[in-house]
Amino acid sequence: MLANDITAQQFGRMFMQWRGKFSAIAQSYVHDSVAAEDIVSECFLSFWSKRAEIEIKTVPEAYILQSVKNRCLNHLRDRQAKMRREEHLDARSLMAIEAEISALEGEDFGALFSAEVERIFKDRLATF
């Protein structure tokens, strides 16, 4: 059966019947209600917009649920990759900050400016 055989009314009923259940399933995977709602909405929208190309082997709900599962996996992988990047950046930032602290702690500004301070004192004493 082609998904193209589904009427707009049938699709609307299917959406109303399954959206909440699919959102609950998605939320159990991604632990984010907003993301879960977005994932389910995107899956229904994708199904409807690509219905002429989709061949249904079981029921449309099973196809959409599989799409929800796949998008949840993609969402989790993307979040994992982002967390790894942030940890990597945080580690790099921390190393840079530690290097700057180390350089500042090792730097003796007194020695750098002692010649300048000595010159200023000599100039002041010379004016008296």
Side-chain angles (χ1 to χ4, degrees):
M1 170 173 113
L2 287 176
N4 202 27
D5 297 336
I6 298 172
T7 66
Q9 282 184 326
Q10 290 171 322
F11 179 77
R13 282 193 301 271
M14 184 174 52
F15 178 79
M16 295 305 293
Q17 179 181 358
W18 292 99
R19 179 182 56 97
K21 294 171 185 159
F22 289 171
S23 292
I25 292 168
Q27 186 172 353
S28 73
Y29 287 129
V30 300
H31 304 288
D32 179 342
S33 61
V34 174
E37 288 285 334
D38 288 347
I39 288 168
V40 171
S41 295
E42 289 169 5
C43 289
F44 272 100
L45 180 63
S46 178
F47 175 82
W48 183 250
S49 65
K50 295 179 182 179
R51 67 188 181 280
E53 306 160 17
I54 299 171
E55 185 176 337
I56 305 294
K57 295 180 182 170
T58 59
V59 293
E61 295 87 351
Y63 180 89
I64 296 170
L65 182 57
Q66 184 64 45
S67 295
V68 168
K69 178 188 166 206
N70 291 340
R71 287 193 191 226
C72 285
L73 285 170
N74 289 342
H75 176 82
L76 291 172
R77 287 181 184 129
D78 290 346
R79 190 165 38 170
Q80 180 184 42
K82 181 181 176 186
M83 289 173 75
R84 284 186 179 150
R85 282 192 306 273
E86 286 174 354
E87 284 178 18
H88 181 67
L89 287 176
D90 286 345
R92 292 175 81 188
S93 297
L94 182 60
M95 287 175 45
I97 290 169
E98 287 173 351
E100 290 173 356
I101 289 170
S102 207
L104 289 173
E105 286 176 342
E107 197 67 55
D108 184 7
F109 287 115
L112 289 175
F113 295 109
S114 64
E116 183 67 18
V117 171
E118 185 179 342
R119 186 189 60 76
I120 291 171
F121 278 126
K122 285 182 180 178
D123 288 345
R124 284 289 189 174
L125 289 173
T127 61
F128 291 111

